[in-house]
């Protein structure tokens, strides 16, 4: 293999690809990135056996097609430190890789490319298409609510449900549930559901953060593939059954409060200052046109702050974990949110526009 | 490595597995039990290769992997995304720093959780199922075994878990009842000796290691490399001619030999598959081997006293064995044997190795019982 590639393009590619390669693995082969040069494209492949990616660089000149398997951190380092070079020549000689600049020559000992796990190709037909900014926003609204503890595997990912022209993402950890809705660019042929690992979700966010483009996604029985202009991301899906989340969303809320998002978030942060490990709850007392947030940390002190709201319903005292509320308020894009509640021991709903819904279990302060 | 056809001497185990595959009723959890080095892991890898192979064939009615497809190549390279090997040294690669820095003497719950249970809940990358092979499963502590129960009983679709262990008794009853037991028998002594000679181990040496390792080709191969045979000859000579008052120097010499062997084992392991072997564990294993070599001589002496000469382990040093047999009575020899095994237990309980070796020398010199 012999290719001449622009340093900038290589740097950009390796920054993403290098982040996927498993940093801690007993197999040296898995710490590598695979380079494939063919048809005027240099493809970089990486996997950590859960997620994988193919990154295509077109700003290359391929003198001789071929394959190479190179330790990712070394190649990344060399390319990063070669910012003063316009282009780098990568040439293989059996399993050894030579990287040449105008005044530099690096030799890296690689491995047999045949020993690298295959990274699936996207193929032609996509199951769904969505704008990258819409998807990125939806991911931000759900990703934080996934379960981080072991034992609930199905909840460790985000549920994707696509039907018609709509996509819905749902994440829950048993204490709260976040649901975001978005529009697809084109309606799907048949509805699709899958539980997608958080690792892939954050990668999609990284890929779609810098530019506005249309992303394509495809589901197979075990895998999900996402394609942007240059990158294809592949991930195994999470196995298992996602909880029946529809039953958790309360339908009979008798009280509702509309409140300014940033103001409530600010007040919550203030009230949360005087909570501790044992009493991680902030009590919200709704009465008239204001809500009083109060907290108490044993042997430390108490806090009481008020916040104006517009409220319908009988007075109510209810307590929440402030962090869980702040998490949701932070990702709301609307100026105002609606809090819907039934009773002090029933779950409450935070709504922000039509696209975001958040179910939150109250805490019992005794 | 790695195909059913290449595995010799474990016909009944392999037949059991093949029957499972061809009848389509493969158990999802299996316990491969047998002595070290008789081919449990090789068989497990072969099973993985056969289950994951892209074009498994039935050659002459025998189900096996093709050995040429991409999947088989990845298995041989140890990089197959759907075939994972779990061993205690994986703790080195755990995401949590505390786990990484821990001494790796047991197969802990953190390794089992993040490398087996979590990984099992992802879908397979190629859709032909997934295989998890746990090496040295007997080293799992109770917490790790208990954590594994649910996954063993109801693994996610397509997941097969193989636990390789040396003794079934070391596993919790709850683990045993959830696994299909596949027993691996020790290999015949002649067979091991022949294989050693094929691998260019000289005749006398080959005979000795074959006898010493009780039909474990893996252990025999490993022990016959290096200079352990010469060390053993030296030790038996020295022990057979110990003065009754003992030898003050010899205890520390033995401790030093143990250290050297341990350091060598660590570096060999590193070279072989890049994995790390804990130094303490290595020196305990080395001590175990040395104590068993020494005990072998006293056992042989007991066999001689009983009037039998055919089944000596140290057949290459019959003279030394005879002198031991002349020096001690049968009950003294039995006492020494008992206490030598106690020495190994003491080392595992963190008693200072130097003290243990000093006592072992006194014990073997005078047959006075151990007093630690």
């Amino acid at each position: 293999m012999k290719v001449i590639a622009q340093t900038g393009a290589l740097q950009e590619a390796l920054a993403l690809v290098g982040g996927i390669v498993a940093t801690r693995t007993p197999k040296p082969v898995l710490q590598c990135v695979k380079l494939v040069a063919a048809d005027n494209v240099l493809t970089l492949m990486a996997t950590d056996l859960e997620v994988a990616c193919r990154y295509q660089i077109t700003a290359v000149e391929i003198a001789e097609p071929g394959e190479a398997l190179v330790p990712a951190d070394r190649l990344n380092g060399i390319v990063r430190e070669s910012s003063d070079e316009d282009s780098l020549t990568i040439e293989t000689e059996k399993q050894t890789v030579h990287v040449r600049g105008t005044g530099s020559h690096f030799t890296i000992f690689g491995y047999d490319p045949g020993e690298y796990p295959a990274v699936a190709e996207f193929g032609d037909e996509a199951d769904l298409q969505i704008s990258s900014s819409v998807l990125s926003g939806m991911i931000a609204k759900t990703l934080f609510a996934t379960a981080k503890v072991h034992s609930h595997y199905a909840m460790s990912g985000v549920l994707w449900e696509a039907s018609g022209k709509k996509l819905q993402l749902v994440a829950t950890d048993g204490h709260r549930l976040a649901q975001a809705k978005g529009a697809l660019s084109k309606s799907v042929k048949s509805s699709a559901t899958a539980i997608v690992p958080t690792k892939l979700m954050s990668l999609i966010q990284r890929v779609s953060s810098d530019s506005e483009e249309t992303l394509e996604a495809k589901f197979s029985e075990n895998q999900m593939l996402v394609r942007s202009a240059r990158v294809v991301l592949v991930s195994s899906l999470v196995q298992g059954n996602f909880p029946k989340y529809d039953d958790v969303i309360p339908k009979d809320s008798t009280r509702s409060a509309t409140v300014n998002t940033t103001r409530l978030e600010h007040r919550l942060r203030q009230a949360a200052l005087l909570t501790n490990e044992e009493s991680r709850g902030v009590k919200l007392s709704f009465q008239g046109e204001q809500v009083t947030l109060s907290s108490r940390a044993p042997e430390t002190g108490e806090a009481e702050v008020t916040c104006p709201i517009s409220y319908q319903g009988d007075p109510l005292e209810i307590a929440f974990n402030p962090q869980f509320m702040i998490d949701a308020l932070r990702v709301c894009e609307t100026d105002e949110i609606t809090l819907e509640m039934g009773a002090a021991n029933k779950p409450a709903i935070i709504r922000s526009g039509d696209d975001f819904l958040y179910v939150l279990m109250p805490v019992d302060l005794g | 490595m790695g195909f059913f056809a290449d595995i010799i001497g474990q016909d009944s185990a392999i037949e059991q597995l093949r029957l499972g595959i061809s009848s389509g009723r493969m158990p999802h959890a299996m316990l491969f039990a047998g002595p070290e080095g008789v081919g449990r892991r090789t068989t497990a890898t072969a099973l993985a290769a056969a289950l994951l192979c892209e074009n498994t064939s039935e050659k002459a009615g025998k189900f096996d992997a093709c050995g040429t497809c991409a999947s088989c190549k990845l298995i041989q390279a140890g990089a197959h995304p759907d075939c994972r090997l779990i061993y205690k040294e994986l703790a080195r690669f755990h995401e949590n720093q505390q786990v990484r820095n821990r001494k790796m003497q047991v197969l802990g719950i953190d390794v089992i959780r993040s490398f087996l249970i979590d990984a099992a809940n992802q879908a397979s990358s190629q859709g032909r199922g997934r295989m998890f092979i746990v090496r040295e499963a007997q080293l799992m502590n109770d917490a790790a075994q208990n954590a594994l129960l649910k996954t063993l009983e109801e693994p996610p679709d397509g997941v097969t878990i193989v636990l390789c262990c040396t003794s079934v008794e070391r596993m919790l009853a709850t683990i045993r009842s959830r696994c299909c037991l596949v027993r691996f028998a020790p290999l015949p002594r002649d067979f091991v000796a022949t294989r050693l000679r094929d691998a260019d181990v000289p005749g006398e040496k080959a005979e000795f290691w074959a006898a010493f390792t009780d039909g474990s080709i893996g252990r025999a191969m490993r022990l016959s490399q290096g200079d352990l045979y010469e060390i053993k000859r030296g030790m038996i000579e020295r022990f057979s001619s110990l003065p009754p008052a003992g030898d003050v120097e010899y205890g520390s010499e033995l401790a030093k030999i143990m250290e050297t062997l341990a350091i060598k084992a660590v570096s060999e392991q590193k070279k072989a598959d890049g994995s790390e072997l804990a130094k303490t564990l290595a020196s305990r294993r080395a001590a175990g081997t040395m104590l068993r070599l020494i005990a072998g001589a006293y056992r042989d002496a007991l066999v001689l006293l009983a009037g039998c000469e055919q089944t000596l382990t140290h057949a290459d040093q019959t003279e030394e064995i005879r002198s031991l047999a002349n020096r001690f009575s049968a009950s003294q020899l039995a006492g020494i044997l008992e206490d030598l095994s106690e020495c190994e237990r003491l080392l595992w309980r963190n008693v200072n190795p130097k003290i243990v070796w000093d006592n072992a020398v006194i014990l073997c010199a005078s047959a006075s019982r151990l007093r630690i």
Side-chain angles (χ1 to χ4, degrees), chain B residues 2-27 30 32 42-51 56-67 131 160 162 180-184:
Chain B
F3 302 108
F4 283 149
D6 302 337
I7 299 164
I8 310 158
Q10 297 299 354
D11 298 342
S12 80
I14 287 171
E15 209 40 56
Q16 191 180 342
L17 295 174
R18 273 190 169 138
L19 213 65
I21 301 177
S22 54
S23 67
R25 298 193 346 176
M26 196 65 198
M30 280 174 278
F32 282 14
T42 320
T43 311
T45 318
L47 177 64
L51 288 175
T56 19
S57 57
E58 291 215 13
K59 282 173 224 149
K62 300 215 162 158
F63 192 83
D64 211 337
C66 72
M131 180 88 174
T160 309
V162 173
C180 169
L181 182 63
V182 182
R183 285 209 186 267
F184 285 72

Side-chain angles (χ1 to χ4, degrees), chain A residues 86-215:
Chain A
D86 276 347
S87 62
L88 291 171
T89 310
I90 303 174
E91 192 177 357
T92 54
E93 185 188 323
K94 286 186 184 155
Q95 291 176 13
T96 310
V97 177
H98 300 277
V99 182
R100 288 195 186 85
T102 44
S104 55
H105 176 200
F106 301 91
T107 310
I108 326 171
F109 302 115
Y111 300 88
D112 176 11
E115 291 183 355
Y116 204 67
V119 177
E121 287 192 65
F122 194 89
D124 302 324
E125 200 70 351
D127 285 341
L128 57 90
Q129 293 181 343
I130 187 166
S131 127
S132 62
S133 58
V134 172
L135 184 58
S136 180
M138 290 171 70
I139 294 175
K141 283 177 187 156
T142 47
L143 190 56
F144 67 91
T146 52
K148 269 111 200 149
V149 287
H150 299 274
S151 80
H152 298 298
Y153 294 100
M155 279 152 54
S156 71
V158 176
L159 179 74
W160 286 52
E161 286 182 325
S163 67
K165 245 194 134 175
K166 286 201 188 94
L167 174 68
Q168 172 171 302
L169 304 188
V170 185
T172 178
D173 65 359
H175 304 290
R176 52 175 167 180
L177 179 143
Q179 182 191 46
K181 289 179 185 162
L184 297 172
S185 316
K186 221 170 71 183
S187 56
V188 290
K189 289 197 193 81
S190 55
S191 54
T193 36
I195 309 172
V196 181
T198 49
K199 213 184 254 176
L200 177 65
M201 301 289 281
S202 21
L203 275 173
I204 296 176
Q205 252 186 329
R206 268 185 69 183
V207 168
S208 54
S209 61
D210 47 348
S211 62
E212 172 64 43
E213 57 178 322
T214 301
L215 296 177

Side-chain angles (χ1 to χ4, degrees), chain A residues 23-31 48-50 114-118 150-151 153 197 221-223 236-240, chain B residues 74 77-81 84 87 90 92-95 100 113 117-118 120-127 156-157 273:
Chain A
T23 38
R24 279 187 279 277
T25 164
K27 293 289 167 199
V29 172
L30 296 177
Q31 295 173 347
D48 68 351
L49 300 185
E50 184 188 339
E115 291 183 355
Y116 204 67
H150 299 274
S151 80
Y153 294 100
E221 200 183 327
N222 315 299
Q223 290 185 314
S236 311
L237 293 174
V238 177
Q239 287 196 317
Chain B
L74 280 176
H80 200 294
R84 308 272 177 101
Y87 47 96
L90 271 183
R92 274 273 172 278
F93 305 100
H94 195 271
E95 55 190 359
R100 289 205 294 276
R113 272 203 183 129
I117 303 178
D118 283 3
N121 281 281
Q122 280 163 21
S124 84
S125 71
Q126 304 190 345
D157 269 353
D273 54 5

Side-chain angles (χ1 to χ4, degrees), chain A residues 15-91:
Chain A
L16 180 79
V17 172
I20 290 177
V21 174
T23 38
R24 279 187 279 277
T25 164
K27 293 289 167 199
V29 172
L30 296 177
Q31 295 173 347
C32 289
V33 44
K34 185 174 172 179
L35 311 177
V36 179
D39 306 329
N40 290 323
V41 178
L42 176 65
T43 311
L44 280 74
M45 293 182 215
T47 176
D48 68 351
L49 300 185
E50 184 188 339
V51 292
C53 92
R54 301 171 158 261
Y55 194 108
Q56 297 198 320
I57 306 178
T58 41
V60 286
E61 185 188 324
I62 292 175
E64 195 187 317
E67 295 184 334
L69 192 58
V70 206
D73 53 343
R74 301 289 170 205
L75 185 62
N76 203 350
I78 291 171
V79 173
R80 199 176 50 228
E81 298 300 334
S82 303
S83 304
D84 53 339
E85 309 269 0
D86 276 347
S87 62
L88 291 171
T89 310
I90 303 174
E91 192 177 357

